[in-house]
Structures are given as structure tokens and as C-alpha cells.
Amino acid sequence: MKKIFLSILPVLWLGAGIAVAQEPGDDDVAGVEVIDGDTLSLPLVSNSPSEIVTEENQVNEGIDSLMSLWYVKNSINSAETSRELVDESVPVYFSDSIYEGVLKKIPTTFPLVYNQKVKDWIEMYIRRGKYLIPTLLGLSKYYFPMIEKVFDQNDIPLELKYLTIVESALNPRAVSRAGATGLWQFMYGTGRMYDLEVTTLVDERRDPDKETVAAAKFLKDLYSIYGDWALVIAAYNCGPGNVNKAIRRSGGKTGFWEIYPWLPTETRGYVPAFISVNYIMNNYEAHGYKAFNVNMPTYSDTVMVTNKLHFGQVSGVLGISIDELRELNPQYKKDIIPGDIKPSALRLPGDFATRFAGQEKEIYAYQDSIFFAPVNALAYQRQATVRTPSSSSGRAGRTYEPEPCDNSIPAGTSKLVYTVKQGDTFGFISSWYDVPIAKIKCWNNIIGNRINIGQKLSIYVPTKRLNSYKNIDNMTFEQKQSQKSNQIVQTSKSSGTNLDPKFEYYTIRKGDNLSTIAAHYPGISDNDIMKINGFSAADVRRLQIGQVIKIRKK
């Protein structure tokens, strides 16, 4: 049975290990063209204009998923960042000779062949990469060093790290409709074969470190079969069975481009896509792109958890947002670490590992009767979300409870209609209108994170502030982000507090936490805010609406 693919990129493949988990049936042999009697050109049916249109539509649908990653979403927050991410000078295209020349200069263990199919992929990335390429470059700074270390230890060509872009767009939470999961898109059966644990609470296919080790083993196993890395890449996508069929049908030829016409349709595009990614990642500056600074921690450490632990307990005591814990530990599907079953690793940013060790007993005991009450099992099934209610005495402790869809229209509000633009995400729209994402989804009967360009969204805002929001639909992305940044600055100035002019300040509003506040200031983390204000974890829990805090030195 064939896979149905869901991708964040214009690449549709998302299917590592398909040969082991399941084997597709035979594909019809593609049409070929004979030139000068014996020169075989590439199949005429591959990458037709209609296919390119379809793939570009999938890029538009998938960018929202990539941009909704917590670290990405909280790094794109100011007019300065918007200009960094969006350069009106792109896209820039070059001649065939330049594309081919760049590919020839990239050191690889197999030739990066240039042809029309590779060009199609290169120019699609360039055309659709306005937001995508800078974000991928930023994420690669976090994930690639880890991948390169594992590949170097296993004598695997380092350029195969780019398969993670083709497979998942460097999203460890990526899941295809067929169930392939993680950076490397392992199917369930393949993951189990390579010792990745998959249970109700844990899915190690979403653990970048462990899945990379498994991918290295899988790639080495494929290389032991073929001794050719181009065929290994093809087999990674469609499985050794289909590669072997293509070899037989070609009359025993063993070069990728020689067996190309007999490979499954998706694999005929997979290797050209991989080659195009090599080009983009090695020549992006020439096309006007630059890496976007995704504020993932430059340093993190792990602690071993030996008891049952909920992310909410860690967040409540140490002051780390649950969203950040989820991004650093995507393998824990329900925010629960089953350390009582076996010691389990918890990754924490900066020096929080040391703080965890010093407050371990307090963390395990924090609201354990709430987080592990029997009723919460039902809350998980109903896709519960963490709420952090505020009170007159300050920030209350986090509790875990179900989030029903409430599509009621608040009193004193007026309806506005927003038309979804390219690059929009629920996170951006929520920020621009100061409305929770859940409300936007409920008002518009949307399940999941998918929105389409041109889609109309009904949004309700306070009538008395209608003028502040009614022009948002007609603004450019940069204008919307700039307006949001100006609102933040004005909020701080209006507090009337006698402030030290050497520092930038922020006035806490309803719904804020240190992570969301830090997201407004590129290069600043919640830990930085704690340090500059001398806050302890207890101080963070007592923060109140209207309180003015230091952000950074001017």
C-alpha cells in the first residue's frame, strides 16, 4: 500500500524506512525519450508543470507548521526580525552554468548531477523559500552539529544530513499521514527494528538524538547492500525492494540515473530534491537569503528523571515555559516523563539542569496530586492544554485541565474579517489581534493548524478598540509586526514608573509569562530576564499584572 505524504517542504517524501515497514507495489514504468539512438533522457512525466503547482500549494500549506514551532514562533517577533526574514530582493535566479558549477564544487562522496529535474527543485526552493530557507538555516545551526557528530562516528558522508530537510524540514514533531515521524521520518516498524521506543507516553522517533543514531545504522545497513550512496538515498525513500526491481528492469544497471525510469515516481524526485537542498544550503547567500536567528538554547544539558514527572511540575518550580520543555523534549507525547518505569532523560536549557538537581524533591512534590489525579487521564484524551490562571495575589500554580472549544462571542466585541496571507500562522494572527489561538479556531470551526492563503477568518475584538485592529487586514507583514512591537514599547512607557534610563523595561499584562515576554526581544531569554531582575523561581510565580520588570541594558 502506498504512503500518503504530508510535508512542510515542496518535497513529498516523508518516509524513511518504508522498505522495512511496508513495501510499495510496482510502479508503471515512466515514459522515456531516446535521443541519438541510445541516450536515455529523464522521464517526460516527472515534475510536469501541474506537479510543480501541486508541490507549491503544499509549501504554502506546510509553512504554517514550521513557523508554529515554539522557538521559531517566539523568535519572529519584531520589525527588525521581520526585515531580517523577508528581503524584497529575493528570489534571485541564475543560469544553468552557475547552478552546475556550484554543485561541482561541493565536496561529496558521489556526484551531484545537474539536469533539468534538479534545476526544477532548486528554483522551486528559491521561489518559495522567502520564509522557509532562512528558518531552515537557523534550525540547522542547532540540529546539524549533533547529526554531523553521529555521522562522523559512523563513517557516513556528512552531506546526508540534508536528508532531514527533505524528510521533515528539521521538525522533530513532523508526522506524515502514513505515520512516519520525526526528523528522519521513521515508520513505527522501522523505529522498533532500530531500538526506538514507541509507547503511549514516549515516542523516541521524535527524539532527534536517538532517531539520528537509528538513521545512521539504517543508512549503513543500506550501504552494505549497494555500496553506492545515491542508491542508498533512493532506498531510504522507497526501500531496497523497489531499488532492486529497478535494477532488474534496467537490465542490471547499478547507477541511480541509469535505473531512474524504473524507480517509483516519488523516488524519481527524491534524489533530485536532495541534490537541490545541497545546492541551496551551500549557496543561499548568493540568492539573497541569510540565516534567521532561531533562539534555541546555545547550551543545554540533560538530567536523569527517576520518578514520574510532569512538565507542569518542572515549569511551576523552575519557571521554564511548558512550550519550551516540549520543544527540547519532543519525545514525551503527553508531557509526562515515566521515570518511575526506567530512568529517563530531560533536556533543560542553560544552567537549569543544576537548578533541577538542587530542587529535585520540590519539583517531584509540586502539585503531584493535581498533575497525576485520575481525572487527568481523561484530560489528555481531550487534548488538554496547560492553563496558567492569574489572581489578585499574583501568578497562580499551573493546573492541567481540558480545553473545550468555546465559540461564544464575548460581549462588547465587534467582528472583523482577516484574509490569510502567505507566511501567516495562527501564532502571528493571534498576536496581531490579541486573541487566543483557540478562540480563532473555535470561531472559524478549524481543527488543527492548517490555514490556506485567501481563507477568511472571523475575529472578534473589543468594540472600543476597533480602530486599533480594523486596518490589520490591509497591512503588510512588516507593518503588522512593527505595530505589535510599538504596542509593547508604549505599554512600558505608560506605566508611569520611575525607571532607570540605562535599561529597557516591560509592563506585565494579562496572560504574560517570562517566555512570552522574552519572545518580544530578539536575543533575550526568560533566563536572562530572571538574572537581570534577580528573580528566583518563587519570584517568577508571584509576578503580577502591571508589574514593571527590566529586560536588558540599552
Side-chain angles (χ1 to χ4, degrees):
M1 186 176 75
K2 296 238 181 242
K3 283 182 150 187
I4 301 174
F5 299 100
L6 174 64
S7 179
I8 295 174
L9 291 176
V11 187
L12 314 178
W13 322 125
L14 293 184
I18 188 172
V20 180
Q22 57 186 20
E23 186 161 316
D26 293 352
D27 271 47
D28 293 334
V29 178
V32 296
E33 178 184 4
V34 178
I35 303 174
D36 296 331
D38 59 0
T39 303
L40 189 64
S41 77
L42 299 180
L44 301 177
V45 299
S46 181
N47 281 9
S48 67
S50 62
E51 288 177 352
I52 294 294
V53 171
T54 299
E55 288 152 1
E56 291 202 23
N57 288 340
Q58 290 182 341
V59 179
N60 294 333
E61 295 172 2
I63 285 178
D64 185 71
S65 179
L66 181 62
M67 295 298 178
S68 68
L69 291 175
W70 188 82
Y71 277 113
V72 174
K73 182 175 61 178
N74 285 281
S75 299
I76 304 174
N77 49 64
S78 68
E80 177 183 358
T81 299
S82 302
R83 287 192 295 271
E84 175 186 351
L85 197 60
V86 183
D87 185 343
E88 294 305 323
S89 67
V90 298
V92 176
Y93 301 100
F94 297 132
S95 65
D96 289 350
S97 61
I98 293 179
Y99 294 146
E100 186 172 15
V102 170
L103 286 172
K104 285 181 177 179
K105 291 179 181 179
I106 298 174
T108 64
T109 53
F110 58 90
L112 297 176
V113 174
Y114 180 75
N115 53 39
Q116 184 61 42
K117 305 311 170 188
V118 174
K119 179 181 180 179
D120 288 342
W121 285 109
I122 288 174
E123 295 198 338
M124 189 193 308
Y125 275 108
I126 293 170
R127 183 167 61 251
R128 308 307 303 158
K130 193 173 185 180
Y131 296 94
L132 185 64
I133 292 175
T135 305
L136 289 174
L137 290 166
L139 290 171
S140 71
K141 293 180 180 180
Y142 182 80
Y143 289 112
F144 279 179
M146 175 272 294
I147 296 172
E148 290 172 347
K149 180 180 178 181
V150 173
F151 278 15
D152 182 60
Q153 292 170 345
N154 288 274
D155 197 26
I156 293 173
L158 299 187
E159 60 268 23
L160 266 64
K161 66 191 176 188
Y162 296 132
L163 286 175
T164 54
I165 291 180
V166 181
E167 290 287 342
S168 67
L170 292 175
N171 181 359
R173 294 180 176 273
V175 180
S176 78
R177 293 177 184 174
T181 299
L183 287 181
W184 293 96
Q185 288 291 284
F186 268 59
M187 294 293 288
Y188 173 84
T190 314
R192 294 299 298 269
M193 287 186 66
Y194 286 92
D195 302 319
L196 296 178
E197 179 183 1
V198 182
T199 68
T200 301
L201 297 179
V202 178
D203 188 345
E204 290 184 340
R205 295 176 298 169
R206 304 192 334 181
D207 183 324
D209 298 276
K210 291 186 176 180
E211 193 184 27
T212 295
V213 171
K217 294 177 182 178
F218 186 27
L219 290 167
K220 287 186 71 173
D221 287 347
L222 292 174
Y223 189 75
S224 70
I225 297 173
Y226 298 107
D228 179 283
W229 286 110
L231 293 182
V232 166
I233 293 173
Y236 189 90
N237 173 248
C238 69
N242 279 292
V243 172
N244 293 341
K245 290 175 188 176
I247 291 173
R248 289 196 302 270
R249 291 170 175 172
S250 70
K253 296 177 181 179
T254 56
F256 172 79
W257 295 105
E258 293 175 318
I259 68 172
Y260 182 100
W262 292 275
L263 288 167
T265 303
E266 65 270 17
T267 309
R268 291 198 297 268
Y270 187 80
V271 172
F274 171 74
I275 293 173
S276 75
V277 170
N278 275 263
Y279 172 88
I280 293 295
M281 298 300 283
N282 283 277
N283 201 43
Y284 58 88
E285 290 180 330
H287 292 275
Y289 294 109
K290 55 186 176 180
F292 167 54
N293 182 30
V294 179
N295 295 321
M296 300 187 77
T298 55
Y299 168 71
S300 63
D301 200 358
T302 57
V303 295
M304 295 309 295
V305 175
T306 56
N307 206 334
K308 195 173 185 180
L309 184 66
H310 193 286
F311 285 172
Q313 295 174 286
V314 181
S315 177
V317 176
L318 297 184
I320 309 173
S321 77
I322 288 184
D323 284 328
E324 186 169 14
L325 290 171
R326 288 171 178 160
E327 291 291 291
L328 292 174
N329 302 273
Q331 67 270 32
Y332 298 116
K333 296 156 64 174
K334 305 294 185 180
D335 294 350
I336 294 175
I337 305 172
D340 54 331
I341 299 175
K342 68 174 184 180
S344 303
L346 171 66
R347 184 173 295 278
L348 296 169
D351 61 355
F352 278 97
T354 302
R355 294 175 56 189
F356 181 96
Q359 297 178 270
E360 190 168 1
K361 290 184 179 179
E362 180 186 353
I363 293 170
Y364 285 134
Y366 180 76
Q367 296 191 357
D368 56 344
S369 62
I370 295 176
F371 285 110
F372 296 114
V375 69
N376 284 306
L378 294 176
Y380 282 123
Q381 295 174 15
R382 295 169 62 182
Q383 298 182 337
T385 59
V386 174
R387 291 179 175 176
T388 310
S390 58
S391 67
S392 58
S393 60
R395 188 172 297 280
R398 292 168 173 80
T399 59
Y400 215 77
E401 56 185 32
E403 181 88 41
C405 187
D406 178 11
N407 60 4
S408 62
I409 299 173
T413 62
S414 298
K415 177 182 175 180
L416 291 175
V417 176
Y418 180 77
T419 305
V420 177
K421 318 295 192 300
Q422 181 178 327
D424 285 350
T425 69
F426 279 117
F428 285 145
I429 298 169
S430 168
S431 173
W432 297 330
Y433 286 97
D434 298 308
V435 173
I437 293 175
K439 276 290 190 182
I440 298 175
K441 291 182 178 181
C442 287
W443 288 332
N444 294 278
N445 297 315
I446 296 174
I447 299 175
N449 293 317
R450 176 176 170 178
I451 48 176
N452 300 315
I453 294 176
Q455 183 174 349
K456 305 291 185 180
L457 299 178
S458 297
I459 298 175
Y460 295 87
V461 300
T463 302
K464 62 183 180 181
R465 297 182 59 196
L466 187 62
N467 289 335
S468 301
Y469 299 104
K470 66 180 182 181
N471 293 324
I472 289 176
D473 190 42
N474 298 318
M475 292 180 179
T476 65
F477 180 87
E478 293 86 348
Q479 289 171 334
K480 287 178 283 194
Q481 291 292 81
S482 178
Q483 174 176 281
K484 188 64 182 176
S485 297
N486 290 336
Q487 289 173 355
I488 294 167
V489 172
Q490 293 303 320
T491 299
S492 296
K493 290 181 177 179
S494 65
S495 64
T497 307
N498 186 17
L499 307 180
D500 187 334
K502 296 179 181 179
F503 291 89
E504 289 185 47
Y505 288 84
Y506 181 86
T507 303
I508 295 175
R509 299 179 295 175
K510 183 177 180 180
D512 278 341
N513 58 51
L514 291 191
S515 295
T516 60
I517 294 171
H520 296 303
Y521 300 90
I524 297 296
S525 69
D526 49 2
N527 196 33
D528 294 330
I529 297 175
M530 289 181 68
K531 287 180 179 179
I532 199 170
N533 289 277
F535 289 155
S536 65
D539 294 328
V540 172
R541 293 196 295 274
R542 288 193 291 266
L543 291 175
Q544 298 185 32
I545 296 172
Q547 184 173 342
V548 179
I549 59 175
K550 293 179 181 178
I551 299 298
R552 59 187 173 190
K553 287 187 176 181
K554 291 183 178 178

